[in-house]
Amino acid sequence: MAVLHHSLDFILSSPVDSASTVPSLLSIFHEQEMTETVHDTKGHGYLATLVGKHGRLALLRVHSHGMVTIDLQCYQEDSVAEVDNLLNALEKKLKALLSGNIKRFKRLPALIRGAEVDRYWPTSDDRLIEYDIDQVLYEEDSAYQNIQILHSKQYGNILVLNGDINLADSDTAYTHAIMGSGKESYTGKEVLILGGGDGGILAEVVKQKPKMITMLEIDQKVIDGCKTHMRKTCGDVLDNLTGDCYQILVEDCVPVLKKYVQEGRMFDYVINDLTAVPISTEPEDSMWEFLRLILDLSIKVLHPSGKYFTQGNGVNMTDALTLYEEQLEKLSCPVGFSKEVVCVPSYLELWVFYTIWKK
Amino acid sequence: MAVLHHSLDFILSSPVDSASTVPSLLSIFHEQEMTETVHDTKGHGYLATLVGKHGRLALLRVHSHGMVTIDLQCYQEDSVAEVDNLLNALEKKLKALLSGNIKRFKRLPALIRGAEVDRYWPTSDDRLIEYDIDQVLYEEDSAYQNIQILHSKQYGNILVLNGDINLADSDTAYTHAIMGSGKESYTGKEVLILGGGDGGILAEVVKQKPKMITMLEIDQKVIDGCKTHMRKTCGDVLDNLTGDCYQILVEDCVPVLKKYVQEGRMFDYVINDLTAVPISTEPEDSMWEFLRLILDLSIKVLHPSGKYFTQGNGVNMTDALTLYEEQLEKLSCPVGFSKEVVCVPSYLELWVFYTIWKK
């Protein structure tokens, strides 16, 4: 039983006296059988809490700096019409009382707290975003992470790993960007995919008939969930761990990369589709050292004329992007890089993708 | 002085007794010199309001159906570190107290209420979205509407009309879609743009050297704001009302369209870039009748082999989209239509665009 948190905010041109606004608002609450407790705010304006039937709770504040805020919490099973009427009555009354003094009025969509299906997945720069998620299709805690596949009305099915949105059915722009935005040909090439358990990249690269794709995905449970619930993204490439021109190794990429380096194996393309903070069985020092280790090993197995693609971060995460680029200067082999800003529909923020090559 | 509204939500597998959770939480509040009032909730769990220094206010609820919620409101000038410490202490203590019984824990980014620059512009299906808006560049109330040009870190400058996001610097996908997604050639053609005061479509069509573009924009103040603050979108096409192959008529499109119909004028392309609820000096009956009037007049001035482009609505607004399509069946001239779903970066939702033609 979720709590709906409604808010009405009146931002004023100049402060108002609570005596001129409060009594007629209280009378609206009284009609709804809500009774108030007035608090001593030690000089920070007027504050009353109101408790009513069905677990309804309201806060009425007349802020001394020129704002009136009303919060109303009620349970989702409470009458929508009754709650709406109450909010409408409060809005109408306050607009009349504060007429000419309102700089901005804001009534936000209610915050839904504790719903069966959670709809809030903030952006990388920690902004509040409400998704249109209506169903949890898959939820597993693997040895490595929490895995969810959610359904969004507009984006289709979405893979969420440890609370981070990875990929939705709508996100061919992601796969396109991390494959070089249509500027590369994979035909006849040796390709290494790190991570990529949703199968999106694999399904796209396979279409171009490469010589061989090796995909290193640590988590069988991601593959299991995606091959059932992300078929629009992966097609049938996850149904078997090997195909005409690909093999999926369900392994930690770090020891495999180390082995490839020792063997002198080379790839034309390395696509790093690992989670933002990669999961590994290897001991981690700091996150950045670990990221650099993966980068270093990847560049070592990259053909001199090859390319390494990876996703970076939200475009607003300028500090994290700078730190990432600083790691590129510390690799054992000098590299060049370019970046591209791409709109991935389900991310609800612009995302930076990197192309890296041996200098 | 904005109010920051923080929330901590613990969704539980089974209800808990407030006696086992509340005392040690209260002690954390007491350390912060906050004092509680315990309310009679008439059987709806435990509820205390806590009032403290600097206008801080907290709500502590142990819901009888198995959820613990904490709300903390404080002013933006309050110490971020102190507030964070308090929230962290509450989170840590509750995680310890409820260990093994937590189905989900959610701490959302704080809701910012009453800030100088408003960051919340909900989607068409009324979901809560926080933009990265950091500056208001232009704000005017014209005779027709409220006009704002806002700055977003990632999307660039954004034109907002009557609270609806119209277009951002990032949104070439919008202009591309409403011009037929690259499948049309405007070279040598007669083009009519309805609305379009941001100049985005005009700037793009001009590049293709059409015979003549006529743009009917009702609001000079939109043009004034955009020619200064949306130059990445409009270039210099709004600097003058006439150019080599275009004229901008600052007029209500309805009487002009009526005149064109009477004169028998024809256009190869009509691009309807009016606001969702068009603004006019004409008397409106119902919104749908008015939309149909504009559609009808537009189709009448469309060359038999011409195309009419317009934006529809958010892809989740299925009822509104169906109603729109029903209007298309009621026009005085039979039409066919197709639609396309497009990701416009700053919209933060997928958007439907229509192509309409004479049957």
Side-chain angles (χ1 to χ4, degrees):
Chain A
M1 190 158 56
V3 171
L4 299 185
H5 189 119
H6 301 270
S7 59
L8 300 183
D9 295 344
F10 296 80
I11 296 100
L12 308 178
S13 306
S14 59
V16 284
D17 176 17
S18 61
S20 62
T21 47
V22 166
S24 52
L25 294 174
L26 286 182
S27 71
I28 295 174
F29 286 113
H30 293 162
E31 283 164 24
Q32 299 290 321
E33 299 163 43
M34 298 183 81
T35 49
E36 72 272 19
T37 307
V38 179
H39 300 271
D40 173 10
T41 64
K42 289 157 191 139
H44 286 89
Y46 174 87
L47 167 66
T49 48
L50 295 112
V51 177
K53 58 191 174 184
H54 312 309
R56 271 185 218 162
L57 163 66
L59 293 176
L60 169 59
R61 296 185 82 173
V62 181
H63 300 264
S64 46
H65 67 277
M67 176 152 75
V68 179
T69 57
I70 296 173
D71 292 71
L72 179 66
Q73 288 188 357
C74 59
Y75 289 115
Q76 201 157 28
E77 63 176 9
D78 201 352
S79 156
V80 173
E82 254 189 54
V83 171
D84 257 3
N85 284 343
L86 172 56
L87 289 166
N88 290 342
L90 290 164
E91 177 181 335
K92 196 175 158 193
K93 176 58 81 178
L94 261 167
K95 280 186 173 167
L97 289 170
L98 301 170
S99 163
N101 190 18
I102 300 172
K103 234 179 18 186
R104 188 168 74 238
F105 166 67
K106 201 83 184 182
R107 176 169 169 178
L108 294 177
L111 208 58
I112 308 161
R113 299 167 66 174
E116 195 60 40
V117 180
D118 184 24
R119 292 162 67 94
Y120 302 94
W121 299 94
T123 59
S124 65
D125 57 338
D126 209 28
R127 284 177 292 109
L128 183 56
I129 297 280
E130 179 184 354
Y131 279 82
D132 58 348
I133 290 164
D134 55 12
Q135 220 185 326
V136 178
L137 299 169
Y138 182 81
E139 176 144 29
E140 287 281 334
D141 283 305
S142 74
Y144 309 103
Q145 58 200 334
N146 174 266
I147 309 161
Q148 289 186 302
I149 301 177
L150 311 172
H151 178 260
S152 146
K153 258 175 86 178
Q154 65 188 309
Y155 302 119
N157 296 347
I158 311 181
L159 174 67
V160 177
L161 297 177
N162 277 347
D164 261 352
I165 288 189
N166 270 244
L167 196 78
D169 286 338
S170 58
D171 297 345
T172 47
Y174 176 96
T175 307
H176 194 234
I178 207 166
M179 284 175 62
S181 296
K183 285 172 270 179
E184 307 297 326
S185 166
Y186 287 82
T187 311
K189 299 290 169 63
E190 283 276 359
V191 185
L192 180 65
I193 302 172
L194 309 180
D198 53 59
I201 298 167
L202 182 59
E204 282 306 305
V205 179
V206 158
K207 287 179 191 164
Q208 294 194 26
K209 306 213 176 301
K211 186 175 169 199
M212 185 66 187
I213 310 163
T214 304
M215 181 169 125
L216 307 176
E217 166 60 53
I218 201 171
D219 201 338
Q220 179 68 48
K221 286 196 169 172
V222 171
I223 296 175
D224 292 342
C226 292
K227 80 177 166 198
T228 306
H229 300 289
M230 298 288 291
R231 287 194 90 78
K232 279 194 187 156
T233 294
C234 64
D236 59 7
V237 292
L238 299 180
D239 291 355
N240 298 292
L241 293 180
T242 54
D244 272 356
C245 59
Y246 70 89
Q247 58 169 340
I248 302 168
L249 307 179
V250 183
E251 291 193 46
D252 182 346
C253 72
V254 177
V256 180
L257 278 167
K258 284 179 177 168
K259 186 177 64 120
Y260 287 169
V261 171
Q262 277 190 330
E263 293 169 358
R265 274 202 65 176
M266 286 282 163
F267 296 89
D268 298 296
Y269 293 104
V270 178
I271 302 177
N272 175 344
D273 190 31
L274 297 169
T275 46
V277 179
I279 285 153
S280 171
T281 51
E282 296 277 303
E284 298 185 25
D285 295 322
S286 79
M287 188 191 79
W288 287 110
E289 276 175 51
F290 186 67
L291 282 174
R292 208 166 62 232
L293 170 68
I294 291 172
L295 257 166
D296 223 357
L297 292 168
S298 300
I299 298 296
K300 280 181 179 159
V301 299
L302 190 66
H303 194 274
S305 64
K307 282 186 182 160
Y308 173 93
F309 294 115
T310 193
Q311 51 106 355
N313 214 320
V315 74
N316 280 348
M317 299 297 283
T318 44
D319 289 351
L321 290 165
T322 302
L323 276 168
Y324 182 78
E325 289 164 25
E326 283 170 11
Q327 305 312 307
L328 298 180
E329 289 171 13
K330 294 179 191 166
L331 301 184
S332 53
C333 159
V335 298
F337 74 92
S338 65
K339 53 186 165 177
E340 189 188 9
V341 177
V342 174
C343 181
V344 178
S346 84
Y347 282 21
L348 300 187
E349 63 187 310
L350 298 176
W351 209 255
V352 175
F353 288 79
Y354 285 98
T355 304
I356 298 164
W357 57 84
K358 281 179 173 169
K359 259 194 200 158
Chain B
M1 189 160 53
V3 171
L4 300 185
H5 188 119
H6 301 270
S7 59
L8 300 183
D9 295 343
F10 296 81
I11 296 101
L12 307 179
S13 306
S14 58
V16 283
D17 176 16
S18 61
S20 64
T21 48
V22 165
S24 51
L25 295 173
L26 287 181
S27 72
I28 294 174
F29 285 114
H30 293 161
E31 283 165 25
Q32 299 290 322
E33 299 164 43
M34 297 183 82
T35 49
E36 73 271 19
T37 307
V38 179
H39 299 271
D40 174 10
T41 64
K42 290 159 191 139
H44 286 88
Y46 174 90
L47 167 67
T49 48
L50 295 112
V51 176
K53 58 190 174 185
H54 312 310
R56 268 184 221 164
L57 162 67
L59 293 176
L60 169 59
R61 295 185 82 174
V62 181
H63 300 263
S64 45
H65 67 276
M67 177 151 77
V68 178
T69 59
I70 296 173
D71 292 71
L72 179 66
Q73 288 188 356
C74 60
Y75 290 114
Q76 201 158 27
E77 63 177 9
D78 200 350
S79 157
V80 173
E82 253 189 56
V83 171
D84 257 4
N85 285 343
L86 172 55
L87 289 166
N88 291 341
L90 290 164
E91 177 181 336
K92 197 175 157 195
K93 176 59 80 179
L94 260 166
K95 280 186 172 167
L97 288 170
L98 301 170
S99 163
N101 190 18
I102 301 172
K103 233 176 21 183
R104 188 169 74 237
F105 166 68
K106 202 83 184 183
R107 176 169 169 178
L108 294 177
L111 208 58
I112 308 161
R113 300 168 64 174
E116 196 60 40
V117 180
D118 184 24
R119 293 161 66 94
Y120 301 94
W121 299 94
T123 59
S124 65
D125 57 338
D126 208 27
R127 283 177 292 110
L128 183 57
I129 297 282
E130 180 184 353
Y131 279 82
D132 59 347
I133 291 164
D134 55 12
Q135 220 185 326
V136 178
L137 299 169
Y138 182 81
E139 177 145 29
E140 286 282 334
D141 283 305
S142 74
Y144 309 104
Q145 57 200 334
N146 173 266
I147 309 162
Q148 289 186 303
I149 301 177
L150 311 172
H151 178 261
S152 146
K153 259 175 86 178
Q154 65 188 309
Y155 302 120
N157 296 347
I158 310 181
L159 173 66
V160 177
L161 297 176
N162 278 348
D164 261 352
I165 288 190
N166 270 243
L167 195 78
D169 286 338
S170 58
D171 297 344
T172 47
Y174 176 96
T175 308
H176 194 235
I178 207 166
M179 285 176 62
S181 297
K183 285 172 270 178
E184 308 297 326
S185 168
Y186 287 83
T187 310
K189 299 290 169 63
E190 283 276 359
V191 185
L192 180 66
I193 302 172
L194 310 180
D198 53 59
I201 297 167
L202 182 59
E204 282 307 305
V205 179
V206 159
K207 288 180 191 164
Q208 294 193 27
K209 306 213 176 302
K211 186 176 170 197
M212 186 64 185
I213 309 164
T214 303
M215 182 168 124
L216 307 176
E217 166 58 53
I218 200 170
D219 200 339
Q220 180 67 48
K221 287 197 171 171
V222 171
I223 296 174
D224 291 343
C226 292
K227 81 175 166 199
T228 306
H229 300 290
M230 298 288 291
R231 286 193 90 78
K232 279 195 186 155
T233 294
C234 64
D236 60 6
V237 294
L238 299 180
D239 292 355
N240 297 292
L241 293 179
T242 54
D244 271 356
C245 59
Y246 69 90
Q247 58 169 341
I248 302 169
L249 306 179
V250 183
E251 291 194 47
D252 183 346
C253 71
V254 177
V256 180
L257 278 168
K258 284 178 177 167
K259 187 176 62 118
Y260 287 168
V261 171
Q262 276 191 331
E263 294 170 356
R265 274 201 65 177
M266 286 281 162
F267 296 88
D268 298 297
Y269 292 103
V270 178
I271 301 177
N272 176 343
D273 191 30
L274 299 168
T275 45
V277 179
I279 285 152
S280 172
T281 51
E282 296 277 302
E284 297 185 27
D285 295 321
S286 80
M287 188 190 81
W288 287 112
E289 275 174 52
F290 186 68
L291 282 175
R292 208 166 62 232
L293 170 68
I294 291 172
L295 257 166
D296 224 358
L297 292 167
S298 300
I299 297 295
K300 279 180 180 160
V301 301
L302 190 65
H303 195 275
S305 64
K307 280 187 183 159
Y308 173 92
F309 294 113
T310 192
Q311 51 105 357
N313 215 319
V315 73
N316 281 348
M317 299 297 282
T318 45
D319 288 352
L321 291 165
T322 302
L323 276 167
Y324 182 78
E325 290 163 25
E326 283 171 10
Q327 306 312 307
L328 298 181
E329 289 171 12
K330 295 180 191 164
L331 301 184
S332 54
C333 158
V335 298
F337 73 92
S338 65
K339 54 186 164 177
E340 188 189 10
V341 177
V342 174
C343 181
V344 178
S346 84
Y347 282 20
L348 300 187
E349 63 186 312
L350 297 177
W351 209 254
V352 175
F353 288 79
Y354 285 97
T355 304
I356 298 165
W357 57 85
K358 282 179 172 170
K359 261 194 199 160

